[in-house]
Amino acid sequence: MTLYIIGIGLCDEKDITIKGLERVKKSSTVYLETYTSKLQIGIERLEKFYGKKIIPADREIVEKRAEETILKDAATKETAFLVIGDPFSATTHIDIYTRAKDAGIKVEIINNASVLTAIGITGLELYKFGKVTSIPFENKNVKTPYEVYQMNQKNGLHTLFLLDLRPEEDKFMTVNEAIDYLISIGLTKETLCIGCAGLGSKEYELKAANTSELLKKRFTKFPQCLIIPGKLHFVEEEMIERYKIS
Ligand SMILES: C[S@@+](CC[C@H](N)C(=O)[O-])C[C@H]1O[C@@H](n2cnc3c(N)ncnc32)[C@H](O)[C@@H]1O
């Protein structure tokens, strides 16, 4: 029997690939990992389009109880494990992959778009991004995101900040909260930043401005992420001008 680890994309029920949908259709049990990202639609829309009942899988199920749930099912029947975005991007589900393999279960991966590629809409060259970093909700004594940014800047590279989220509590860090945090540990108010929200959806939001200007704006979609550009090529600058707040 096979465990299908399927990326379902960033926005809605129709972002799954044809191959992914075929594997969902032939699965007896379908899990959806619910704790690392958020679609623009609810689980009912997925269930209707896929024609399958979906079992929400929180961190506890995936990381601690997979042997008695997902992997137990996959040992005896076709089982799908759905991940928002791509299964191995930004949050990696390598752990469940290796645990399945170690248990002798066949695994098939179906990739999809990720926030790591969707940020291409900013016009920044993806190969000029440096290390990606995450800003946690509890960040009082946390310096790593700022240190990563400084290291990337030193090398002229762009920095992508992923922002903490707790979908089960409907709690998502905003671009503004991320900027407030970065200013509290040293970011200047003149730094050019790019805020992104709901990438991959038709109504995605993209705004560029210096930190103090961007702080006056609100993003309404979730999830959100923040980018601080490094050294810009003129083609990148031209693209930023299109969504820069003047
Ligand atoms: C831990 S990552 C999960 C990435 C997912 N596996 C993927 O491939 O896109 C989740 C974080 O990425 C960012 N993110 C994910 N999807 C996004 C989107 N559509 N628009 C903007 N930011 C997004 C947010 O900061 C969010 O908290």
Coordinates of all heavy atoms in Angstrom, one line a residue, residues 109-143:
I109 N 5.6 11.0 -3.7 CA 5.5 12.4 -3.4 C 4.9 13.1 -4.6 O 5.3 12.9 -5.7 CB 6.9 13.0 -3.2 CG1 7.7 12.2 -2.2 CG2 6.9 14.5 -2.8 CD1 7.1 12.1 -0.8
I110 N 4.0 14.0 -4.4 CA 3.4 14.9 -5.5 C 3.6 16.3 -5.1 O 3.0 16.8 -4.1 CB 2.0 14.5 -5.8 CG1 1.9 13.1 -6.4 CG2 1.4 15.5 -6.8 CD1 1.2 12.1 -5.7
N111 N 4.5 17.0 -5.8 CA 4.9 18.4 -5.4 C 3.9 19.4 -5.9 O 3.0 19.1 -6.7 CB 6.3 18.7 -6.0 CG 7.4 17.9 -5.4 OD1 7.9 16.9 -6.0 ND2 7.7 18.2 -4.2
N112 N 4.0 20.6 -5.4 CA 3.1 21.7 -5.8 C 3.8 23.0 -5.6 O 5.0 23.1 -5.2 CB 1.8 21.6 -5.1 CG 0.6 22.2 -5.8 OD1 0.7 23.3 -6.4 ND2 -0.5 21.4 -5.9
A113 N 3.1 24.1 -5.9 CA 3.7 25.4 -5.7 C 3.9 25.7 -4.2 O 3.2 25.1 -3.4 CB 2.8 26.5 -6.3
S114 N 4.8 26.6 -3.8 CA 5.1 26.9 -2.4 C 5.2 28.4 -2.3 O 5.4 29.1 -3.3 CB 6.4 26.2 -2.1 OG 6.9 26.8 -0.9
V115 N 5.1 28.8 -1.1 CA 5.4 30.3 -0.8 C 6.8 30.6 -1.3 O 7.1 31.7 -1.8 CB 5.2 30.6 0.7 CG1 6.2 29.8 1.6 CG2 5.4 32.1 0.9
L116 N 7.7 29.6 -1.3 CA 9.1 29.8 -1.7 C 9.2 30.1 -3.2 O 10.2 30.7 -3.6 CB 10.0 28.6 -1.4 CG 10.1 28.3 0.1 CD1 11.1 27.1 0.3 CD2 10.6 29.5 0.9
T117 N 8.2 29.7 -4.0 CA 8.3 30.1 -5.4 C 7.3 31.2 -5.7 O 7.5 32.0 -6.6 CB 7.9 28.9 -6.3 OG1 6.8 28.2 -5.8 CG2 9.1 27.9 -6.3
A118 N 6.2 31.3 -4.9 CA 5.1 32.3 -5.2 C 5.7 33.7 -5.0 O 5.2 34.7 -5.6 CB 3.9 32.1 -4.3
I119 N 6.7 33.9 -4.2 CA 7.3 35.2 -3.9 C 8.0 35.7 -5.2 O 8.4 36.9 -5.2 CB 8.3 35.2 -2.7 CG1 9.4 34.1 -2.9 CG2 7.6 35.1 -1.4 CD1 10.5 34.2 -1.9
G120 N 8.1 34.9 -6.2 CA 8.6 35.4 -7.5 C 7.8 36.6 -8.1 O 8.3 37.4 -8.8
I121 N 6.5 36.7 -7.7 CA 5.7 37.8 -8.1 C 6.2 39.2 -7.7 O 5.9 40.2 -8.2 CB 4.2 37.6 -7.6 CG1 3.3 38.6 -8.3 CG2 4.1 37.7 -6.1 CD1 3.1 38.5 -9.8
T122 N 7.1 39.2 -6.7 CA 7.7 40.4 -6.2 C 8.6 41.0 -7.3 O 9.0 42.2 -7.2 CB 8.5 40.3 -4.9 OG1 9.5 39.3 -5.2 CG2 7.6 39.8 -3.8
G123 N 9.1 40.1 -8.2 CA 10.1 40.6 -9.2 C 11.5 40.4 -8.7 O 12.4 40.6 -9.5
L124 N 11.6 39.9 -7.5 CA 13.0 39.6 -7.0 C 13.4 38.3 -7.5 O 12.6 37.3 -7.6 CB 13.0 39.6 -5.4 CG 12.6 40.9 -4.7 CD1 12.7 40.7 -3.2 CD2 13.5 42.1 -5.2
E125 N 14.7 38.2 -7.9 CA 15.2 37.0 -8.5 C 15.3 35.9 -7.4 O 15.9 36.1 -6.3 CB 16.6 37.2 -9.0 CG 16.7 38.1 -10.2 CD 16.2 37.4 -11.5 OE1 15.8 36.2 -11.4 OE2 16.1 38.1 -12.5
L126 N 14.7 34.8 -7.6 CA 14.6 33.7 -6.5 C 16.0 33.2 -6.2 O 16.3 32.9 -5.0 CB 13.8 32.5 -7.0 CG 12.3 32.8 -7.1 CD1 11.5 31.6 -7.4 CD2 11.7 33.4 -5.8
Y127 N 16.9 33.2 -7.2 CA 18.3 32.7 -6.8 C 19.1 33.7 -6.1 O 20.3 33.5 -5.7 CB 19.0 32.2 -8.1 CG 19.2 33.1 -9.2 CD1 20.1 34.2 -9.2 CD2 18.4 33.0 -10.4 CE1 20.2 35.0 -10.2 CE2 18.5 33.8 -11.4 CZ 19.4 34.9 -11.4 OH 19.6 35.7 -12.4
K128 N 18.6 34.9 -5.9 CA 19.3 35.9 -5.1 C 18.8 36.1 -3.6 O 19.0 37.0 -2.9 CB 19.3 37.3 -5.8 CG 20.3 37.4 -6.9 CD 20.1 38.6 -7.7 CE 20.2 39.9 -6.9 NZ 19.7 41.0 -7.7
F129 N 17.9 35.1 -3.2 CA 17.5 35.0 -1.8 C 18.6 34.3 -1.0 O 19.1 33.3 -1.4 CB 16.2 34.3 -1.7 CG 15.0 35.2 -1.9 CD1 14.6 35.5 -3.2 CD2 14.3 35.8 -0.8 CE1 13.5 36.4 -3.4 CE2 13.2 36.6 -1.0 CZ 12.8 36.9 -2.3
G130 N 18.8 34.8 0.2 CA 19.7 34.2 1.1 C 18.9 33.2 2.0 O 17.8 32.8 1.7
K131 N 19.5 33.0 3.2 CA 18.8 32.1 4.1 C 17.4 32.6 4.5 O 17.2 33.8 4.7 CB 19.7 32.0 5.4 CG 19.3 30.9 6.3 CD 20.4 30.7 7.4 CE 19.8 29.6 8.3 NZ 20.4 29.6 9.6
V132 N 16.5 31.7 4.5 CA 15.1 32.0 5.0 C 15.0 32.0 6.5 O 15.6 31.1 7.1 CB 14.1 31.1 4.3 CG1 12.7 31.4 4.8 CG2 14.2 31.1 2.8
T133 N 14.2 32.8 7.1 CA 14.1 32.8 8.5 C 12.7 33.0 9.0 O 11.9 33.4 8.2 CB 15.1 33.9 9.2 OG1 15.0 33.7 10.6 CG2 14.7 35.3 8.8
S134 N 12.4 32.5 10.2 CA 11.0 32.6 10.7 C 10.9 33.5 11.9 O 11.8 33.4 12.8 CB 10.5 31.2 11.1 OG 10.6 30.4 10.0
I135 N 9.9 34.3 12.0 CA 9.7 35.1 13.2 C 8.6 34.4 14.1 O 7.4 34.3 13.7 CB 9.3 36.5 12.9 CG1 10.3 37.2 12.0 CG2 9.1 37.4 14.1 CD1 10.0 38.6 11.5
P136 N 8.9 34.0 15.3 CA 7.9 33.4 16.2 C 7.1 34.4 17.0 O 7.5 35.5 17.1 CB 8.8 32.5 17.1 CG 10.1 33.3 17.2 CD 10.3 34.0 15.9
F137 N 5.9 34.0 17.4 CA 5.1 34.9 18.3 C 5.9 35.3 19.5 O 5.9 36.4 19.9 CB 3.8 34.2 18.6 CG 2.8 34.1 17.5 CD1 2.3 32.9 17.1 CD2 2.3 35.3 16.9 CE1 1.4 32.8 16.1 CE2 1.4 35.2 15.9 CZ 0.9 34.0 15.5
E138 N 6.5 34.3 20.2 CA 7.2 34.6 21.4 C 8.6 35.0 21.0 O 9.5 34.1 20.7 CB 7.3 33.4 22.3 CG 6.0 33.2 23.2 CD 4.9 32.5 22.4 OE1 5.3 31.6 21.5 OE2 3.8 32.9 22.5
N139 N 8.9 36.3 20.8 CA 10.1 36.7 20.2 C 10.9 37.7 21.1 O 11.8 38.4 20.6 CB 9.9 37.3 18.8 CG 8.8 38.4 18.8 OD1 8.8 39.2 19.8 ND2 8.0 38.4 17.8
K140 N 10.5 37.8 22.4 CA 11.1 38.8 23.2 C 12.6 38.8 23.2 O 13.3 39.8 23.1 CB 10.6 38.7 24.6 CG 10.5 40.0 25.3 CD 9.5 40.1 26.4 CE 9.6 41.4 27.1 NZ 9.8 41.4 28.5
N141 N 13.2 37.6 23.4 CA 14.7 37.6 23.4 C 15.2 36.9 22.2 O 16.3 36.3 22.3 CB 15.1 36.9 24.7 CG 14.7 37.7 25.9 OD1 15.0 38.9 26.0 ND2 14.0 37.0 26.9
V142 N 14.5 36.9 21.1 CA 14.9 36.2 19.9 C 15.6 37.1 19.0 O 15.1 38.2 18.6 CB 13.7 35.5 19.2 CG1 14.0 34.9 17.9 CG2 13.0 34.5 20.2
K143 N 16.8 36.7 18.6 CA 17.6 37.6 17.7 C 17.9 37.0 16.3 O 18.3 37.7 15.4 CB 19.0 37.9 18.4 CG 18.9 38.8 19.6 CD 20.2 39.6 19.7 CE 20.1 40.7 20.8 NZ 20.1 40.1 22.2

